[in-house]
């Protein structure tokens, strides 16, 4: 049996399924970002190949379905219309909350594969906050230093003493 040539998907990300059988084909799937975060867009890229020759297959109907147990959370078509080289099927999964899910990649008339999906809470970028905070402190220190070095006015009248 042939296999799909491994190449980096247009959407990049983490390879989560490689040459999984789907009827007369094989499917490889990438997820980007590699660690999906709650309520952020998850880019799903699917590559299809003929099971016997490994030749790329580009004219199929591919659906991406996100399931939470028996409940459908998201469904959409993965197309190659937006793909840079038209060799991959792509879909952007939106608004999935934190939790454990299963993604089904369904190829019309062929079958489907499933992939576990763990969506984590949105991560706060503390390093960015640290950089911004350090820059603000440095700018304030510079202004204070320059202010202290500036010449002070010398034409101030002395205070009169009270008798």
């Amino acid at each position: 049996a042939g296999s799909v040539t491994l190449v980096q998907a247009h959407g990049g990300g983490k390879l989560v399924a490689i040459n999984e059988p789907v009827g007369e084909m094989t499917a490889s799937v990438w997820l980007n970002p590699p660690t999906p975060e709650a309520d952020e867009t998850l880019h799903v890229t699917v590559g299809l190949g003929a099971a016997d020759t490994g030749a790329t297959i580009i004219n199929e109907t591919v659906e991406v379905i996100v399931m939470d147990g028996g409940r459908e959370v998201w469904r959409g078509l993965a197309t190659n219309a937006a793909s840079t080289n038209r060799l991959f099927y792509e879909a952007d999964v939106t608004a999935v909350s934190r939790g454990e899910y299963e993604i089904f990649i369904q190829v019309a008339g062929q079958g489907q594969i499933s992939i576990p999906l763990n969506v984590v809470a949105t991560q706060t970028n503390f390093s960015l906050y640290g950089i911004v905070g350090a820059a603000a402190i440095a700018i304030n220190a510079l202004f204070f230093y320059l202010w202290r070095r500036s010449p002070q006015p010398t034409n101030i009248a002395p205070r009169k003493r009270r008798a």
Side-chain angles (χ1 to χ4, degrees):
S3 64
V4 175
T5 303
L6 287 179
V7 294
Q8 184 70 9
H10 163 70
K14 180 180 178 183
L15 182 61
V16 294
I18 180 168
N19 297 333
E20 293 291 327
V22 182
E24 301 289 319
M25 303 176 192
T26 60
S28 294
V29 180
W30 292 260
L31 300 179
N32 195 14
T35 303
E37 294 183 358
D39 303 316
E40 298 291 329
T41 299
L42 173 64
H43 188 78
V44 178
T45 303
V46 180
L48 295 178
D52 56 350
T53 65
T56 301
I57 299 173
I58 58 173
N59 294 318
E60 294 294 325
T61 301
V62 178
E63 261 191 309
V64 177
I65 305 158
V66 179
M67 300 290 290
D68 181 6
R71 184 177 66 89
E72 184 177 294
V73 176
W74 190 92
R75 175 187 292 257
L77 285 176
T79 69
N80 56 10
S83 177
T84 302
N85 55 20
R86 307 284 190 252
L87 298 177
F88 297 103
Y89 300 83
E90 300 178 347
D92 287 328
V93 176
T94 55
V96 176
S97 59
R98 180 178 165 209
E100 299 285 330
Y101 300 93
E102 197 163 9
I103 294 182
F104 289 89
I105 307 297
Q106 189 169 348
V107 182
Q110 296 292 321
Q112 67 185 16
I113 62 171
S114 66
I115 303 158
L117 175 66
N118 180 30
V119 177
V120 299
T122 303
Q123 303 296 313
T124 303
N125 192 344
F126 289 111
S127 60
L128 177 61
Y129 291 142
I131 291 169
V132 170
I137 290 170
I139 289 170
N140 282 330
L142 178 64
F143 280 126
F144 181 76
Y145 173 76
L146 293 174
W147 175 73
R148 296 292 292 160
R149 287 199 49 181
S150 66
Q152 299 297 321
T154 57
N155 58 353
I156 297 176
R159 290 180 21 176
K160 293 182 182 179
R161 292 187 175 202
R162 291 185 178 178

